[in-house]
Amino acid sequence: MIRAPAKRMPDGGFKQSDDQRLIIATLSLALRLRPEFVVLAAADGDFAPMVWELRNEGIRTEVLARPQMLASDLRRAAYSVIDIDDVLNTVGGAQ
């Protein structure tokens, strides 16, 4: 897991803008460890080039997101899409 803490904005809100840092860290780690697959919890199309690169290296990438929120270019790059609502319902029902 690679964490990317949100940054506080001057207006008091939060901004999550660590995409480039996450992409570099993920590629570096994946190319070093060579896992069979990676699960990416994101819906932003900015991650599609990373997913294509992982795919070119033989690393299957599954995307965990709400399908209706998933960028089309990330959907095309992903090996498969896991509906996060299904996962949360399964985990919530197991209690």
Side-chain angles (χ1 to χ4, degrees):
M1 178 180 292
I2 300 169
R3 293 181 182 242
K7 296 176 185 170
R8 183 165 301 267
M9 301 298 292
D11 66 1
F14 290 94
K15 181 177 181 181
Q16 187 71 32
S17 63
D18 287 332
D19 291 357
Q20 291 176 344
R21 187 178 67 82
L22 287 171
I23 290 168
I24 291 167
T26 301
L27 284 173
S28 176
L29 187 62
L31 294 176
R32 217 174 31 248
L33 297 177
R34 296 287 180 178
E36 289 183 32
F37 68 94
V38 170
V39 177
L40 173 66
D44 191 336
D46 291 348
F47 291 99
M50 178 191 74
V51 174
W52 281 115
E53 188 61 31
L54 290 169
R55 188 178 199 160
N56 289 339
E57 293 294 325
I59 300 170
R60 183 179 78 211
T61 304
E62 299 181 4
V63 175
L64 177 65
R66 288 193 168 100
Q68 67 272 22
M69 302 296 290
L70 186 60
S72 59
D73 48 348
L74 184 55
R75 181 187 308 273
R76 284 190 301 275
Y79 177 82
S80 66
V81 176
I82 304 165
D83 188 329
I84 194 168
D85 289 327
D86 291 345
V87 173
L88 294 174
N89 288 334
T90 300
V91 171
Q95 295 178 352

